[in-house]
Amino acid sequence: MRSALLCGLSACAIVIVCTPATAQSQPPQTEQAGNFAQFVPQDDTISTRLDFTYWNTALRWFVLRMGRSLREYEPRPDTQLGTRFSYGHDSAYRLEGNRVAFSLLPPDVIQSLTDYRRDLEQLAATVPIARLGRNEQLAYWMNLHNVAVIEQIALVYPVKKPSLIPVGDSGLPLDESPFITVAGVNLSPKDIRTRIVYPNWRDPKVIYGFWRGDIGGPSISREAFASDNVGAQLDFLALEFVNSLRGTQKSGNTMLVSSIYDEARPFFFPNWPADLRAHIAKHAEEDVAAILASTSAVAASVSETDIADLSKGEREPQLTNLVKGDQYQSTSVDPAIARLLAERKDKIERAVRQNERQGKVTVQAGEANPPPPPEIVR
C-alpha cells in the first residue's frame, strides 16, 4: 500500500487536452541514434498540460533547503569526544545545495517513488511527449530524471557515493544504467540529459534542472518543474550554482568550474572557454564576476561526489540515555544529522548578518501577485 504522504503520486494527470496549438519553430535537429529521434520536439504541438502536484508535495516533504552559498569553505568538523571517528558530512561544500532526507524515508514511501517513476514512464503510451509544448516537455524530462535518481538512491540507502551505485542487471553505475523506459526506449539518466534535452534545447540553463544525487551538482528544488515555472526555477538554480564554490573557484589565472560543464560542453559551449565564460557572466554576482575579470583560462575540475543527504550515508552509533533503572531510550536524532542542522542554522544566521551589511534581500516566499509565466525555454 502506498504511503499516505505520497498517495496519488501516480496521478500525473492530464489536466487540459484541446485542439493543436500554434506551431512553434523547430530548433536545429542533431543526429539521433535509434529511436531517440521520436523525442525531438515537434512543430504540431497540442495543448496538453501535465499535473505534477503530488511530486511537488513529496519534494516539499523530504527536501531540506540549505540556503544560498556564502562562498566560504567549511572546516572539517571535530571528531566525537572520546573517539577519532567523525561521522556525517565533512566536505568543504557540505552547507551548499539542498538535501534529500533519505534516512527518513520509510519502505512504503520508497515504493511510492518506484510507482511514480513507472507512471511517468507509462504516460508516454497515452500522451505524445514530443508534441507537448516545449516547457511541458522540459518539465516532464527533468521530473522523470530526478524521480528516477532519488528512487534508485533510496532503494539502496545508506550509500556514500551515488555515482558508484550499480543499477539493474547490467550493473552499470546509476547515471549510465538504462533502467528508465519511455515509449519502448531504454534510457539512463545521462541519456535524458545528453540525448534528449541537451541536443534539443538551446539555453544552457537547462543543465541546472537535473539532480545527480551528490553535493557537487546542481541543487534539488523543493518544487516540481511545471510548464509555468520551469524558466523561473532554472534561473534560480543557475544563479545558486554559478555563484557557489562547487560551481566556480579561482586558482591563479584559471577559473575552476564544475565538471558538469564538461559534459554540457559539446552542446552549449563549443567555443570553449569563451562560450562558458559568457554563460557564467550572465548569472555571476560580484565575487564570480571578479573571478571572470581576473582569469583567462578555464578548467572543469571542481567535483564533489558525496551524497547530498543529511548524514553522508553513514549511520552513527546511537547515543543512549538511561531512564528508570535498566530502561534505555535511543536519542531521536542521529548526532551527525543534528550537527549538520546546527551548522545550517549558523550559516543562515551568518547570511542574514551579511545581507544586512550589504543591503541585499533574497525573497523565497511566494508573491501575492506573481508575474506571468516566463517565456518558453528553448
Side-chain angles (χ1 to χ4, degrees):
M1 180 181 296
R2 301 191 185 188
S3 165
L5 168 68
L6 300 184
C7 66
L9 273 181
S10 61
C12 178
I14 301 170
V15 178
I16 303 173
V17 180
C18 58
T19 55
T22 303
Q24 301 170 8
S25 59
Q26 178 94 356
Q29 293 190 15
T30 57
E31 183 177 351
Q32 302 269 344
N35 293 326
F36 281 83
Q38 68 181 293
F39 301 129
V40 175
Q42 301 298 304
D43 286 338
D44 57 336
T45 57
I46 55 175
S47 294
T48 300
R49 296 197 60 188
L50 308 179
D51 183 0
F52 298 103
T53 300
Y54 296 102
W55 180 233
N56 196 63
T57 300
L59 288 170
R60 292 186 178 183
W61 181 74
F62 58 62
V63 173
L64 176 69
R65 182 183 288 122
M66 296 295 289
R68 294 277 298 278
S69 170
L70 300 183
R71 297 193 62 80
E72 298 175 358
Y73 295 97
E74 297 297 329
R76 291 182 65 87
D78 295 332
T79 58
Q80 184 177 327
L81 183 64
T83 178
R84 295 182 180 180
F85 295 104
S86 177
Y87 295 91
H89 284 289
D90 55 6
S91 167
Y93 315 125
R94 67 181 178 273
L95 299 186
E96 294 193 351
N98 293 344
R99 301 303 172 84
V100 175
F102 287 107
S103 57
L104 304 182
L105 300 183
D108 57 341
V109 170
I110 297 173
Q111 180 60 48
S112 293
L113 292 172
T114 298
D115 293 339
Y116 189 51
R117 188 255 300 170
R118 291 172 177 166
D119 290 337
L120 289 176
E121 293 173 337
Q122 294 168 6
L123 188 65
T126 56
V127 177
I129 301 299
R131 292 183 61 199
L132 297 174
R134 292 184 66 84
N135 272 18
E136 209 73 58
Q137 292 182 56
L138 192 57
Y140 171 79
W141 290 118
M142 288 179 170
N143 287 332
L144 174 59
H145 176 286
N146 295 347
V147 168
V149 170
I150 290 175
E151 173 219 2
Q152 292 300 312
I153 296 174
L155 285 171
V156 298
Y157 191 84
V159 63
K160 295 182 179 181
K161 306 283 186 181
S163 60
L164 301 181
I165 298 173
V167 177
D169 296 335
S170 67
L172 290 171
L174 170 60
D175 199 43
E176 299 175 12
S177 179
F179 65 94
I180 305 164
T181 304
V182 178
V185 181
N186 296 328
L187 310 167
S188 67
K190 185 176 181 179
D191 286 334
I192 292 177
R193 298 193 306 271
T194 64
R195 301 183 74 175
I196 298 176
V197 173
Y198 290 1
N200 295 299
W201 271 262
R202 299 176 185 176
D203 195 328
K205 71 183 180 183
V206 298
I207 66 180
Y208 304 106
F210 295 107
W211 191 68
R212 303 161 190 243
D214 55 40
I215 292 176
S219 188
I220 180 74
S221 176
R222 293 188 73 239
E223 184 176 4
F225 292 107
S227 60
D228 60 354
N229 74 14
V230 65
Q233 280 219 69
L234 292 176
D235 284 335
F236 183 82
L237 292 170
L239 184 71
E240 189 279 329
F241 189 76
V242 165
N243 293 288
S244 69
L245 286 173
R246 66 194 198 284
T248 51
Q249 301 177 28
K250 182 179 184 292
S251 177
N253 188 43
T254 301
M255 179 171 68
L256 307 178
V257 298
S258 169
S259 59
I260 70 166
Y261 292 117
D262 198 43
E263 177 186 81
R265 177 175 175 174
F267 306 95
F268 303 114
F269 316 117
N271 183 19
W272 184 278
D275 289 344
L276 178 66
R277 292 176 67 87
H279 169 70
I280 296 292
K282 183 177 179 180
H283 301 283
E285 294 182 328
E286 184 177 350
D287 288 349
V288 175
I291 293 177
L292 282 167
S294 60
T295 59
S296 58
V298 171
S301 59
V302 179
S303 177
E304 176 54 87
T305 58
D306 286 350
I307 185 171
D309 72 340
L310 300 179
S311 63
K312 196 183 173 181
E314 298 176 338
R315 298 200 185 279
E316 184 168 356
Q318 291 292 304
L319 303 179
T320 57
N321 296 320
L322 179 64
V323 292
K324 294 186 179 180
D326 61 352
Q327 298 290 322
Y328 286 84
Q329 180 178 357
S330 297
T331 55
S332 57
V333 178
D334 187 308
I337 296 177
R339 190 196 74 222
L340 180 70
L341 295 178
E343 289 180 321
R344 172 182 178 269
K345 179 176 181 292
D346 177 69
K347 171 193 170 180
I348 292 173
E349 291 174 349
R350 281 183 283 150
V352 169
R353 291 195 296 269
Q354 289 183 16
N355 287 343
E356 287 176 349
R357 290 196 299 268
Q358 299 173 11
K360 296 182 179 179
V361 178
T362 300
V363 179
Q364 294 184 342
E367 301 176 3
N369 297 302
E375 293 293 325
I376 289 177
V377 181
R378 292 213 170 263

